[in-house]
Amino acid sequence: MIRIPYKVLTFTCEPENALFLPTFKGSSFRGVFGRTLKKALCTLKTQKDCNDCPLLHLCYYAYIFETIPQRDSSLPFGFHKLPSVPHPFVLEPPEHEKKIFVKGEDFTFSLILIGKATDFEPLFVLAVKLAGEHGIGKGNRQFILKTYQTNSSFIEVNLSNHHEDHVNDTILTLKFTTPLRLIYQGRLVKNLEFHHLFRALLRRITSLYYFHVEKKFLDIDVSKWIKLAINVRKIQDHLSWMDFERYSYRQARRMVFGGLTGEVTFEGKLQPFISLLKAGEVLHCGKNTSFGLGKYSLT
């Protein structure tokens, strides 16, 4: 059993004047949080690349926003190959497509802190306050943090041995409200099968647990789980590809990101996967979750 504590911070903010945001707002929020917090917390102001910083593994900013793994030979198989590990937080930006917010018109968003990052709540609140002072969106328009609420809980995921012979077939629909961006065998997944989703969720949950909760190797019969996942059938597919553009300050260029949105329905022996799928509802799935990607709900 994997047990992952998490904390949801829900922020209510108000623009100081007219504020202009893109349709998908995650990249705007994620970018300004990282830039302003690095400016506030970075000790060696002349160090451009966190990878080369001698204080890398002592730095709160690097842990939260860079999340670069230590090159440790004792890492479980596969983890040592990761260029980075999942960030210990998930951003849930305002979901509506509204682009212009005027003074007196509040907007809300959430940050989900995972594992050890739940202890860093004051730093995330600071990031939001600094982002408001710096400004966001077109013209870097300022906003104020009016209130925020905190809710703490935990996720339990059962990945012990299962007995699929005694499991009845069930039907589940997943609705992706922000783009799901998965890589399988080096390529973007555009025709989603259940085993793609399972592999991504398993990798995300186990690495979040190892790097941000407890450095404990989990004995999981992965091949048996994958075999069970491959046998799950897709019976309805109403997913479509959505592209959005973001500007990378680090690479000084515009970048196109894309992923699948909409609904997909699966049928099969799904009961053993329920706790993992419910964990993904909170922690999201796939790449760029710190921008808000990979959010879904189950029915």
Side-chain angles (χ1 to χ4, degrees), residues 28-43:
S28 297
F29 281 92
R30 166 65 174 81
V32 73
F33 291 162
R35 291 194 304 277
T36 54
L37 198 61
K38 182 176 184 179
K39 185 177 180 181
L41 299 182
C42 181
T43 304

Side-chain angles (χ1 to χ4, degrees), residues 258-275:
L260 294 165
T261 59
E263 295 187 0
V264 61
T265 302
F266 297 106
E267 182 179 26
K269 298 184 186 302
L270 288 160
Q271 194 61 37
F273 299 101
I274 293 297
S275 65

Side-chain angles (χ1 to χ4, degrees), residues 63-79:
Y63 173 71
I64 294 170
F65 283 95
E66 299 293 338
T67 323
I68 303 164
Q70 296 187 44
R71 296 304 171 193
D72 186 345
S73 60
S74 66
L75 286 176
F77 177 75
F79 285 173

Side-chain angles (χ1 to χ4, degrees), residues 92-110:
E92 291 192 340
E95 288 186 13
H96 43 69
E97 296 185 359
K98 182 179 175 64
K99 294 182 179 181
I100 302 175
F101 299 82
V102 297
K103 187 173 178 60
E105 203 168 41
D106 293 350
F107 60 89
T108 62
F109 61 91
S110 297

